[in-house]
Structure formats: structure tokens, C-alpha cells
Amino acid sequence: MFTLPDFPWDRLEPYKKRAAEHPDGIVDLSVGTPVDPTPDAVRKALAEASDAPGYPATYGTPELRESVAGWLRRRAGVTGADPAAVLPVIGTKELVAWLPTLLGAGPGDKVVFPELAYPTYDVGARLAGAEPVATDGLLKLGPVRPKIVWVNSPSNPTGKVLPAEHLRKVVAWARDRGAIVVSDECYLEFGWDEERPPVSILHPDVCGGSHEGLLAVNSLSKRSNMAGYRAGFVTGDPAIVKRLLEVRKHAGMIVPAPVQAAMVAAFDDDGHADEQRARYARRRAGLRAAFEKHGFRIDHSEASLYLWATRDEPCWETVGHLASLGILVGPGEFYGTAGARHVRIAFTATDERVAAAVARL
């Protein structure tokens, strides 16, 4: 029987209560929940598709698969993007959690993920009965042949970007051992350092033009303010995607038809994504300057929607200090022991709340 870790965010409740006591209210920068409006075109598409008496296709509509493939070619440089290898999912968290199970991982198998990582990679391994392995150095694994290797670039929580050269080595290492590389790319369009742009695992500079043994996962939650829609996709190796499709058909893991229509509208329109990126860029610049002036050091953070910050003290002391100013942030140790002296600061709050945080700092 698998065991799951305690849900970490419950430990933040006393600090949330303290922050809420600020006379001007709490500024919650702890969770990266979008707060800006869902684009009108997306909402219109959802409404127009709301008369949906029949069951939708697990595989998604041909229009949706082509829309995703077009976005991959246009925005991520995935020249070999194939609509036939696109599978919509009910938000990417469910996919991350259940992917080891869907891929047949179990007792005796190892699932590898970064030392500082989204906690659901670990949870997914445990749900499958596999062994979770947190490491940033694949060579440390020795002769081990893992079932799955997760990469996450841009990283949650650190915002670190892995260059194409690094990803190429991961792909080569995994292919030599028959492991599947799964790349969580939900922040791919949020790179802030022109010298270190995020790159997809499916980009030809990384994979050599072949998607064999590779999967990429992406979401509309952050790009298009559609977290409430639970809309994402997985793509890559056609053979693996086909296996996932067959299992998901049996399990009834289907994106609702109106949501599929909304996804097409979102992936076909880059304009709203560029506007949202500009909003985040402004918020990021203001918060970064304010936190640095307040005595913080910002590490990595060249991409994603977070600042990875430290005052060179235990993270809970930092959380407490900021809560006394009415600002709530995420403790770095939620993402692994290596984060015990950092906090994660989301810049997904409204302009008004971001301004309030800057003033308090």
C-alpha cells in the first residue's frame, strides 16, 4: 500500500491568519493562482459549445489537436509537432499524479525528478507503488534504469532554465537506459532572461528531430488564465501517446467538449498571451526590486511566475517575517530539503496587491 506525504500547505495556515490581520489585508504571493480575466474569445468559445449532449472524445477533436500542434510549431519551435500525437488532459496536475500509473510503473520501478520540485512528481510515483528518487545528477544513479525521468524547465519553484545542451544529455542518458523522459513545460512561455530562453524537450536542438521516448506536458492555466477550466495536453512519442490514450479511454479521463472548444480558441490566439506576459513582467520587476531592497537575494528566477528568494535564514523565519507585513509566501522546503533557506514568491497577484506588497517592503 502506498503512503502519501502530508499536504504541506496546511502548515501555512497560521501564517496566512497572521498576514490577514494586516490593516490593509493580506497580499497572498504563496500560490501561483491566476487572477486576471479569462480572455473573451475563450469564454465565447466555451459558451458557444455549451450545448453538448453527447460524450466528447478522449482523443480530443481534430481541431484541438491541430491547434496545439500549430502552437508548438509557432511558439516552441517544435518543427516535428504532430497533431496525431497530441492528447488533451484534465489539467496537468492529474496527469502528473497519474502518469506513472498510466505508463505501467509499479513496485521495483524508479521515478526520477529534481531535488527541488513540484511535490506531485513524488506523489505520482507513490500512487503507482514505484520508488520516488529526487536527484539533480543522473550520474549519481549509477547503473539504475529508471522507468521515468521528470525534467521541469522552467522550474517550479526556482524559475531555473535548463539549456538545450543539458537537456540533450538527459535525453541521451535516458534513451541509453530505455527510460521515458517527461518534461513539464507549463512555464515555457514565461522566460525573462534573453540569454537563457526556455526550450522544449521536443525542440530539434534537444531531441535531434526524434520524439522517441519523450513526452512534453503543458497547460493553459497560466498562459491563458484558464486554471478553472482544467485544460492541458501531453504530446511527444506517438507510440507512448497511443498507450496513454487507450488507458484513458477505459478510465473515462475526458476533457469536456466545451473546454476542448475553449482550448482551440486559446491556442490559436497569441495576442492575449503576450498581453498576460506583459502584466507578469511588470509585476515581477516591481516585486524583485522591492524584495532586493528589503535585503533578499534572488536566485535563478530567469523564468516561470516565481521569484526564488532568500535572506540566508531558515525559510519559516522568512515566512513569519513577511507574514508580519501582511505578505504570504511559500516556504522553500515544501519543494524539497534543498529549499529550506528559500521562499517562493509568486507574482500572480493583482496589480493593486502587488503595489501593496511593494509599499510594505
Side-chain angles (χ1 to χ4, degrees):
M1 181 65 181
F2 60 79
T3 58
L4 296 178
D6 294 333
F7 190 66
W9 292 95
D10 293 341
R11 295 174 57 195
L12 203 55
E13 281 302 312
Y15 299 91
K16 185 174 183 178
K17 183 178 179 181
R18 186 193 307 179
E21 294 171 353
H22 190 280
D24 187 36
I26 187 173
V27 176
D28 192 344
L29 307 178
S30 65
V31 182
T33 300
V35 297
D36 299 302
T38 303
D40 288 341
V42 171
R43 297 167 64 184
K44 180 181 178 184
L46 182 81
E48 291 179 348
S50 61
D51 183 12
Y55 291 107
T58 306
Y59 196 17
T61 63
E63 293 80 10
L64 173 55
R65 297 197 304 275
E66 180 55 56
S67 179
V68 171
W71 174 83
L72 285 164
R73 299 183 202 110
R74 192 174 67 248
R75 302 284 276 195
V78 181
T79 53
D82 182 0
V86 172
L87 179 60
V89 297
I90 314 160
T92 49
K93 184 170 183 175
E94 68 90 352
L95 182 76
V96 171
W98 291 109
L99 190 60
T101 299
L102 297 175
L103 291 175
D109 292 322
K110 290 179 169 57
V111 176
V112 177
F113 49 84
E115 291 178 7
L116 281 168
Y118 186 46
T120 313
Y121 305 138
D122 173 76
V123 168
R126 293 171 187 251
L127 287 172
E131 179 185 348
V133 179
T135 181
D136 286 340
L138 294 177
L139 294 179
K140 296 178 184 177
L141 297 174
V144 167
R145 293 177 176 268
K147 180 82 171 181
I148 297 166
V149 176
W150 280 100
V151 294
N152 177 212
S153 175
S155 162
N156 175 15
T158 69
K160 182 178 180 180
V161 171
L162 298 177
E165 180 183 2
H166 179 103
L167 291 171
R168 275 199 306 273
K169 292 178 180 178
V170 173
V171 169
W173 186 94
R175 284 175 170 168
D176 284 346
R177 290 158 179 79
I180 298 171
V181 179
V182 188
S183 180
D184 183 346
E185 301 177 355
C186 289
Y187 301 96
L188 192 66
E189 289 195 275
F190 296 105
W192 311 111
D193 185 343
E194 293 183 0
E195 295 183 0
R196 292 181 70 90
V199 59
S200 172
I201 200 85
L202 303 180
H203 193 284
D205 288 350
V206 174
C207 68
S210 169
H211 296 171
E212 181 182 358
L214 308 178
L215 292 174
V217 177
N218 215 312
S219 164
L220 286 165
S221 293
K222 307 298 194 293
R223 177 189 186 271
S224 301
N225 298 325
M226 291 173 64
Y229 285 59
R230 310 313 303 131
F233 70 86
V234 59
T235 190
D237 187 325
I240 300 176
V241 172
K242 184 178 180 181
R243 283 163 50 195
L244 292 175
L245 172 61
E246 292 306 313
V247 177
R248 291 176 73 85
K249 281 181 179 178
H250 284 294
M253 293 175 163
I254 310 171
V255 176
V259 174
Q260 292 190 32
M263 291 174 70
V264 174
F267 278 119
D268 281 353
D269 176 32
D270 296 333
H272 77 271
D274 291 337
E275 291 175 6
Q276 187 60 45
R277 175 185 164 82
R279 291 187 192 104
Y280 285 140
R282 291 193 301 269
R283 293 166 186 165
R284 176 182 184 272
L287 285 171
R288 177 163 193 155
F291 273 97
E292 288 179 334
K293 188 174 181 180
H294 197 75
F296 281 79
R297 185 181 75 248
I298 308 298
D299 292 333
H300 302 304
S301 307
E302 58 262 28
S304 82
L305 300 181
Y306 312 106
L307 297 174
W308 188 238
T310 182
R311 297 204 308 172
D312 291 315
E313 65 185 5
C315 62
W316 287 104
E317 290 184 21
T318 307
V319 170
H321 166 70
L322 291 172
S324 68
L325 299 177
I327 301 170
L328 190 68
V329 297
E333 72 172 29
F334 280 6
Y335 304 92
T337 56
R341 298 179 73 83
H342 282 76
V343 294
R344 193 193 75 168
I345 302 161
F347 41 90
T348 54
T350 64
D351 290 341
E352 184 273 332
R353 287 290 82 187
V354 166
V358 169
R360 295 174 197 183
L361 291 166

